[in-house]
Amino acid sequence: MIAAALFALASVAYAQAQESGLSEEHKDHIKVNCHTTKSTLTRLHTNDGPTYVNRNQTYFSISDKLIARFNGRLALSSYDMTQFARLARDYNAALSSFRIVYGRYDDAMANLLKIDCTKQPERFYAAVASAREKRAELHETIAKVNDMISQYGQAVAALGEQLKEDTDR
Amino acid sequence: MSEDHHLAAEANTSWYKTRLVVFVGGAIVIALIMVFASMVLYLSSGAAQLDLSRPGYTAVRDKVERSDTFKSFPASGTINTKAIEEFQELYAKQVKNVTTVDVFHPGVLEDDVLGIGAPETSSD
């Protein structure tokens, strides 16, 4: 709760620092579109919830029900599993980052939705920019997790090729 | 003698009342501390983000997929070409779910998409 409160204060401070001199015309434009923008953002934030839960669940299951078990069997079969252990460790680290970054994004969106854009258009505009930045960071983190998944798949394929060659000899 | 009894009984009653207030007050304070600690854990552990029983998520709760449909790779057995093929089949099936759909694209928060971009000024 303390961490969340500190984060909220930091976000407010950041949003205030980001407040730039928007033209009166631009501020009026934000005020006029405020209701529609807020509805879009609320819907987006609500739909992000199950998307995150499903993604997190699938990523965790890939680690727990596939990668960890495959590594376990490699260890039992006395294979050199240095590469596989490193990939599993990197994958889990990327997965932890994904959870942390999503938490930051979720907080940014929650704070954004608390701002009244008819009264504070500049602050609202800056908070949208902050949320967009965090969403971009989240998107990059997902790409990293997917890259780790791809690397592990390639390592398994290479091992399969090696075993095939050994069997053919 | 009876006055002594009366005074002693009064003193006892007063002590019991004080003790009751201390116990009830103590229980409330302990409960508040426990609630505060659990809320700190709930928010800091990331459980809050996974909790779709929060207000506002009722409508989308059904969109959560059941985790028991995920088929596990057997934890025992040797690693041979057949085991690797089995793994690759399971892996490809699960990986497809996360690599084919692009989620959390930042484009949806662009100014123009949200209708909060700077209005075009006429050059006339």
Side-chain angles (χ1 to χ4, degrees):
Chain A
M1 195 174 266
I2 293 168
L6 286 172
F7 182 79
L9 283 173
S11 298
V12 169
Y14 176 76
Q16 281 170 348
Q18 289 288 305
E19 279 180 11
S20 56
L22 299 179
S23 67
E24 286 303 316
E25 205 181 1
H26 194 176
K27 282 186 210 170
D28 289 343
H29 185 62
I30 294 170
K31 284 179 191 173
V32 167
N33 288 339
C34 180
H35 182 70
T36 319
T37 310
K38 271 268 181 109
S39 300
T40 308
L41 287 169
T42 305
R43 204 168 48 248
L44 180 71
H45 190 217
T46 306
N47 284 320
D48 282 343
T51 306
Y52 169 69
V53 171
N54 288 335
R55 245 332 136 98
N56 180 59
Q57 193 166 270
T58 309
Y59 282 150
F60 174 73
S61 294
I62 287 173
S63 169
D64 186 52
K65 296 179 176 176
L66 295 175
I67 294 177
R69 284 163 178 252
F70 188 81
N71 280 6
R73 278 176 67 166
L74 277 178
L76 287 173
S77 306
S78 307
Y79 278 100
D80 174 22
M81 54 168 298
T82 320
Q83 186 195 7
F84 290 95
R86 181 182 57 77
L87 286 171
R89 196 177 56 241
D90 291 350
Y91 175 80
N92 287 327
L95 180 51
S96 296
S97 287
F98 165 67
R99 289 168 181 156
I100 293 165
V101 172
Y102 179 80
R104 283 188 208 136
Y105 164 71
D106 189 51
D107 289 340
M109 284 296 283
N111 290 327
L112 166 63
L113 291 169
K114 284 177 196 160
I115 301 170
D116 185 350
C117 39
T118 57
K119 288 178 183 164
Q120 297 174 296
E122 285 195 323
R123 197 174 152 221
F124 181 78
Y125 187 75
V128 169
S130 170
R132 183 168 53 235
E133 203 176 276
K134 286 179 177 66
R135 194 173 169 100
E137 196 187 341
L138 179 63
H139 193 249
E140 275 174 33
T141 312
I142 289 170
K144 277 180 198 162
V145 179
N146 288 351
D147 183 48
M148 294 312 306
I149 287 175
S150 170
Q151 283 188 41
Y152 194 88
Q154 284 166 11
V156 173
L159 178 68
E161 289 299 317
Q162 191 190 319
L163 283 177
K164 256 184 199 167
E165 280 175 19
D166 292 347
T167 315
D168 291 344
R169 274 179 206 159
Chain B
M1 188 71 176
S2 66
E3 198 174 326
D4 286 348
H5 274 293
H6 183 69
L7 286 171
E10 248 182 28
N12 272 340
T13 312
S14 171
W15 164 237
Y16 284 131
K17 275 183 185 170
T18 311
R19 208 163 57 170
L20 185 69
V21 169
V22 169
F23 283 160
V24 171
I28 291 170
V29 168
I30 290 168
L32 286 173
I33 292 169
M34 298 295 278
V35 167
F36 181 75
S38 58
M39 282 305 289
V40 168
L41 282 173
Y42 175 73
L43 293 170
S44 64
S45 66
Q49 276 86 37
L50 294 170
D51 179 11
L52 295 185
S53 64
R54 288 179 291 163
Y57 288 94
T58 322
V60 293
R61 217 176 291 163
D62 296 341
K63 290 184 182 174
V64 174
E65 290 157 12
R66 291 177 64 85
S67 61
D68 55 9
T69 54
F70 199 109
K71 199 179 169 197
S72 305
F73 182 64
S76 58
T78 53
I79 289 289
N80 50 31
T81 48
K82 199 182 165 196
I84 286 183
E85 276 167 17
E86 187 190 351
F87 178 83
Q88 284 178 314
E89 196 183 318
L90 289 171
Y91 199 70
K93 193 180 163 194
Q94 297 306 333
V95 164
K96 196 182 162 193
N97 294 333
V98 288
T99 53
T100 52
V101 184
D102 186 21
V103 292
F104 297 111
H105 197 280
V108 292
L109 288 178
E110 288 296 335
D111 292 350
D112 294 339
V113 176
L114 293 173
I116 55 167
E120 285 179 22
T121 50
S122 58
S123 56
D124 297 336

